[in-house]
Amino acid sequence: MINNIKFSLKNLLEKYYLDKYNINISMVVEEPKNPSLGDISVPMFSVVKVLRKPMPEIVNEGIEVIRNCNLPILEVNSVGAFINLFVNKEELSFDIVKECITMDSEYGKSNIGIGKNVTLDYSSPNIAKSFSIGHLRSTMIGNSLKLILQKCGYNTYAINYLGDWGTQFGKMIVAYQKWGNKEDIMSDPIKKLTELYVRFHQEVEEHPELDDEAREAFRKMELNDPEYLDLWKWIREESLKESSQIYDLLNITFDSYNGEAFYNDKMDPVVEELDKKGLLVEDQGAKIVELGDDLPPALIKRSDGGSLYITRDLAAVFYRKKEYKFDKILYVVGNEQKLHFVQLKKIIEKMGYDFANEIEHVNFGLYLTNGKKASTRKGNVTKLYDVLQTAINLAYELINTKNPDLKNKEEIAKQVGIAAIVFGDLKNFRGLDVEFNLEQSVKFEGQTGPYLQYTGVRIASILRDKDFDINNCNKELFSKPHYFELVKQISQFNSTIEKAALEYAPSVIAKYLLNLAQSFNKFYSLEKINVEDEKNRNTNFVLAKAVRIVLNEGLRLLGIQYLEEM
């Protein structure tokens, strides 16, 4: 509601200057860094610059306009070029917490996406390889963005664009044919297949002809050779079993698992269209699209007729536009793929389609271990399932030490361990590389998922079996700084969600939740909540309840389960 007042003030002043002076002035309405100056501040520099009147005259005129408005403002004064306002904290705070408790999990929802469709392409692991810790970023950023966008009213379509086609499978098949044994592989399919993949890349250093064999094997797949397709189908099925195990553990679902192979029979029409529009150029037997001086050409077909990743991506974009009628398509893919998506957009633009601007590369940095990137080819990957299980075991040890008599310790430890890993990722701005630190993530204090869960559990414990009347509160308490600070943060939930949606940044919500939890724990240290006085007690319970609603919903938007006990 504070944001609503700020928005109303902005509109009020902009309309006033437009009506009186026939001038459009973009007003800034903010919150002062020093709360003693006011709750809301309006800098008047932009008005002075446009109207060229003395600052005191401009400030006094602005104060008069604000005093005549119908908003819950108690006091208006000025310091230099700033008009400062104090709001009616008591009534405003009561309205905010009452709205929060009434709306419950619906609190914070937005309508900015009503009627719009967003397709999200994320997770998308390569089959026949272990689901590594490196896949976590795309998976959890994408899942959180889906939930955030849904909260903002968007229709979402989550696609797991499996890496189930391409030359890498030619490599896998060659490795299997030369060194594999099906009975041995079935003992631990993904581990054994990964070992074969690593061996291929070791052997190719001394035998470069293996790359030619791999390209030929993939060409046979594209020509629907039964032997090669049967091998591919078996590898794909075994890979999906491991991926499903991870998704079940993280409680993640998709609307489509159509991988690269799905588009194998949809590429030719796109290539033909490129050719008809004069965009396809032959270069040393290969087919390319030239993209101007600033970009390298896009390779559409190799000289042997084999397709490439960008060819399948083009087919996928056109299919998804027709199928989902997206207003925006998000690719949650690492920083290193920036050029690929710039080329993809440029090709679609050159083809004459205006939806090229609807394609967004939601980039993210690498997960590093001791400053180094993991590599499947070199065999130095950390399996995500093993990481999650280790986190769950660490959480169990901590819970068992702190609360040995707790029921359902195994299930709670699972949720705490997962929260540790997920929040450890999402609290970071997605564009940055992240140094993975498992032990630090599982701690119950500091900037961790378990800390947020623990704060929610603390509030649940305070409120357990307590009755309170929201209409029988002591509103005067909301004038206290530590009360009002919490209320202000609660009121910012909606704008925080919208900011996260517009910037495709779950970290915005993660940092907001940390600040909210820290403010509540400070409040808890200053105030006894379950006090004798009924009105004061009701006020404390109402405020605590509102904080818990926001914490719970915020955690859900990050893909983290909130808890009642831990």
Side-chain angles (χ1 to χ4, degrees), residues 10 30 46 148 233 287 384 397 424 447-448 494 523 525:
K10 177 178 169 66
E30 57 193 12
S46 59
I148 291 166
K233 287 175 184 175
K287 301 288 187 181
L384 179 56
E397 290 171 12
Q447 298 186 347
T448 70
N494 169 265
F523 173 85
S525 70

Side-chain angles (χ1 to χ4, degrees), residues 420-471:
I421 300 301
V422 172
F423 191 82
D425 181 349
L426 295 183
K427 72 179 181 182
N428 303 286
F429 174 65
R430 57 175 169 77
L432 302 176
D433 292 343
V434 177
E435 183 70 33
F436 181 68
N437 188 320
L438 178 59
E439 289 73 17
Q440 190 66 34
S441 298
V442 182
K443 289 184 177 179
F444 281 25
E445 62 279 338
Q447 298 186 347
T448 70
Y451 168 72
L452 295 179
Q453 288 176 314
Y454 185 73
T455 301
V457 166
R458 168 177 275 176
I459 299 172
S461 176
I462 292 167
L463 297 176
R464 191 166 290 122
D465 301 323
K466 303 293 194 304
D467 293 321
F468 56 89
D469 182 358
I470 192 170
N471 293 309

Side-chain angles (χ1 to χ4, degrees), residues 42 70 122 132 185 190 299 366 404 434 517 529:
V42 185
N70 186 26
Y122 61 98
S132 75
I185 288 172
I190 302 306
L299 182 58
L366 298 170
V434 177
I529 294 181

Side-chain angles (χ1 to χ4, degrees), residues 259-300:
E260 294 180 59
F262 178 78
Y263 298 98
N264 193 36
D265 61 353
K266 298 171 179 61
M267 291 183 290
D268 285 347
V270 178
V271 175
E272 288 168 11
E273 184 177 346
L274 286 167
D275 197 21
K276 284 180 182 176
K277 290 181 174 178
L279 297 173
L280 213 56
V281 178
E282 187 166 327
D283 183 24
Q284 297 180 357
K287 301 288 187 181
I288 65 169
V289 174
E290 293 178 336
L291 301 176
D293 297 334
D294 297 332
L295 288 173
L299 182 58
I300 302 299

Side-chain angles (χ1 to χ4, degrees), residues 250-265:
L250 295 172
N251 193 30
I252 288 176
T253 58
F254 296 91
D255 299 300
S256 167
Y257 287 85
N258 288 337
E260 294 180 59
F262 178 78
Y263 298 98
N264 193 36
D265 61 353

Side-chain angles (χ1 to χ4, degrees), residues 210-259:
L210 286 172
D211 272 334
D212 294 327
E213 291 183 42
R215 280 190 283 271
E216 177 60 19
F218 176 56
R219 193 180 74 84
K220 288 182 178 178
M221 284 172 58
E222 291 199 298
L223 294 172
N224 296 320
D225 184 295
E227 178 190 350
Y228 286 80
L229 280 184
D230 285 345
L231 267 175
W232 170 78
K233 287 175 184 175
W234 168 63
I235 292 170
R236 188 180 192 275
E237 287 169 7
E238 292 302 325
S239 300
L240 285 175
K241 289 176 186 176
E242 186 189 68
S243 297
S244 297
Q245 190 181 35
I246 297 288
Y247 296 134
D248 289 345
L249 196 57
L250 295 172
N251 193 30
I252 288 176
T253 58
F254 296 91
D255 299 300
S256 167
Y257 287 85
N258 288 337

Side-chain angles (χ1 to χ4, degrees), residues 128 184-194 234 238-239:
D184 178 52
I185 288 172
M186 288 306 294
S187 65
D188 193 345
I190 302 306
K191 179 184 176 184
K192 299 293 184 181
L193 288 169
T194 301
W234 168 63
E238 292 302 325
S239 300

Side-chain angles (χ1 to χ4, degrees), residues 367-478:
Y367 249 147
L368 304 177
T369 305
N370 299 320
K372 296 180 180 178
K373 175 188 175 182
S375 170
T376 304
R377 294 183 180 190
K378 296 178 181 177
N380 62 340
V381 297
T382 304
K383 291 176 67 174
L384 179 56
Y385 187 80
D386 293 342
V387 170
L388 290 169
Q389 289 301 326
T390 302
I392 291 167
N393 292 337
L394 285 171
Y396 184 86
E397 290 171 12
L398 282 168
I399 291 168
N400 204 34
T401 301
K402 287 177 174 286
N403 193 356
D405 298 324
L406 180 67
K407 295 179 181 178
N408 301 320
K409 276 187 288 189
E410 290 80 5
E411 178 60 27
I412 291 170
K414 182 178 88 169
Q415 298 302 340
V416 172
I418 289 171
I421 300 301
V422 172
F423 191 82
D425 181 349
L426 295 183
K427 72 179 181 182
N428 303 286
F429 174 65
R430 57 175 169 77
L432 302 176
D433 292 343
V434 177
E435 183 70 33
F436 181 68
N437 188 320
L438 178 59
E439 289 73 17
Q440 190 66 34
S441 298
V442 182
K443 289 184 177 179
F444 281 25
E445 62 279 338
Q447 298 186 347
T448 70
Y451 168 72
L452 295 179
Q453 288 176 314
Y454 185 73
T455 301
V457 166
R458 168 177 275 176
I459 299 172
S461 176
I462 292 167
L463 297 176
R464 191 166 290 122
D465 301 323
K466 303 293 194 304
D467 293 321
F468 56 89
D469 182 358
I470 192 170
N471 293 309
N472 186 27
C473 291
N474 179 5
K475 298 178 184 178
E476 292 179 3
L477 290 179
F478 290 125

